[in-house]
């Protein structure tokens, strides 16, 4: 099983700041990684797929990078609506796995 | 517009059974890999099961032999039959297709809550 480890567990930043979220895989997943955003009391939403492609209707302030075992989700110029838990997910090998999530708080 | 509507959740005793449904609109479920993902209260996301376009099924180890994923082409609906339910099956269960955006879970339904009483 490919274990995804996200860091930090919680991130607290101010509006307008830049957020950098990390996801590390226990083995290479190539570019088969996605990021999801889950706002309070909502279902998850796909943000980034294939490591660096923005899903439809996702604002340009969200970007993804990385390949192999190390991946980053960057949110430039944070907005209050970005408060959420962010999960990474791999589909390179069965079982499909998710990271444990990073909670983003806005000060 | 693509929409998914899960139903069938509820309170069930330990050892009991439940069948979840996911009614789809805006796309045909048999043309995509369909999936169930769950989230225990206050916890993260856990993939549960997939039914591929060709009908091959996949399960996470903890539900193998207890859960069965299936689909009905005429009803355009995905199902998850759950037996021998345990307390650790308590979760919100989401359905989602893979293949509308790359090969990733998108969009997600609103989820249905399954509570297994101990």
């Amino acid at each position: 099983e490919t274990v995804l480890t996200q860091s930090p567990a919680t991130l607290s930043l101010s509006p307008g700041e830049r957020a950098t979220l990390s996801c590390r895989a226990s083995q290479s997943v190539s570019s088969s990684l996605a990021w999801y955003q889950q706002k309070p009391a909502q279902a998850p939403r796909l943000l980034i797929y294939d490591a660096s492609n923005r899903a439809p209707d996702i604002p340009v302030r969200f970007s993804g990078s990385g390949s192999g075992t190390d991946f980053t989700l960057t949110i430039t110029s944070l907005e209050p609506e970005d408060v959420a838990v962010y999960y990474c997910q791999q589909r390179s090998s069965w079982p499909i796995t998710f990271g444990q999530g990073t909670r983003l708080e806005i000060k | 517009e693509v929409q998914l509507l899960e139903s069938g959740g509820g309170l069930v005793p330990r050892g009991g059974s439940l069948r979840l449904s996911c009614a789809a609109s805006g796309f045909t479920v048999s043309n995509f890999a369909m999936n169930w993902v769950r989230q225990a209260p206050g916890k993260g996301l856990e993939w549960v099961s997939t039914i591929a376009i060709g009908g091959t099924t996949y399960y996470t180890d903890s539900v193998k032999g207890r859960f069965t994923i299936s689909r009905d082409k005429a009803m355009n609906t995905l199902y998850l039959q759950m037996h021998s339910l345990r307390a650790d099956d308590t979760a919100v269960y989401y359905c989602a297709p893979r293949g509308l955006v790359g090969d990733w879970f998108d969009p997600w339904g609103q989820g249905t809550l399954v509570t297994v009483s101990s």
Side-chain angles (χ1 to χ4, degrees):
Chain A
E1 173 174 323
T2 301
V3 176
L4 299 179
T5 302
Q6 292 187 239
S7 62
T10 304
L11 193 55
S12 184
L13 296 168
S14 299
E17 288 193 304
R18 177 190 190 98
T20 302
L21 288 67
S22 173
C23 177
R24 177 163 290 178
S26 60
Q27 60 188 303
S28 177
V29 299
S30 186
S31 295
S32 296
L33 188 113
W35 291 92
Y36 297 85
Q37 176 192 63
Q38 186 176 33
K39 294 184 178 181
Q42 293 187 17
R45 176 176 72 152
L46 179 67
L47 288 178
I48 302 289
Y49 66 97
D50 294 343
S52 60
N53 296 303
R54 256 188 313 276
D57 300 324
I58 298 303
V60 296
R61 66 178 183 276
F62 292 91
S63 64
S65 63
S67 66
T69 61
D70 289 293
F71 300 86
T72 300
L73 172 68
T74 302
I75 313 171
T76 58
S77 192
L78 282 168
E79 298 189 5
E81 68 198 49
D82 297 333
V83 169
V85 180
Y86 293 83
Y87 295 94
C88 57
Q89 176 238 320
Q90 67 82 26
R91 62 164 182 79
S92 176
S93 62
W94 295 99
I96 292 168
T97 51
F98 290 87
Q100 81 281 15
T102 290
R103 183 177 303 277
L104 177 61
E105 300 173 347
I106 306 295
K107 294 177 184 175
Chain B
E1 181 187 5
V2 172
Q3 288 191 323
L4 300 143
L5 185 62
E6 298 99 333
S7 61
L11 180 63
V12 59
R14 186 173 53 187
S17 299
L18 212 54
R19 188 179 81 157
L20 306 183
S21 301
C22 171
S25 58
F27 75 104
T28 302
V29 297
S30 57
N31 290 344
F32 296 88
M34 293 297 297
N35 310 268
W36 290 97
V37 176
R38 67 185 178 184
Q39 185 170 36
K43 303 297 184 183
L45 301 170
E46 180 188 27
W47 168 76
V48 174
S49 183
T50 295
I51 181 166
I53 294 172
T56 303
T57 57
Y58 304 84
Y59 301 93
T60 192
D61 284 348
S62 64
V63 309
K64 281 180 184 175
R66 300 188 300 122
F67 290 12
T68 302
I69 190 171
S70 63
R71 64 193 177 200
D72 184 317
K73 190 172 182 179
M75 297 295 290
N76 207 33
T77 298
L78 176 73
Y79 300 101
L80 187 67
Q81 178 68 56
M82 304 184 292
H83 295 295
S84 304
L85 283 161
R86 312 185 309 213
D88 62 357
D89 294 318
T90 294
V92 174
Y93 285 73
Y94 297 100
C95 66
R98 281 173 57 186
L100 285 166
V101 179
D103 193 20
W104 302 98
F105 300 128
D106 183 77
W108 297 55
Q110 87 292 346
T112 187
L113 176 62
V114 173
T115 304
V116 182
S117 62
S118 53

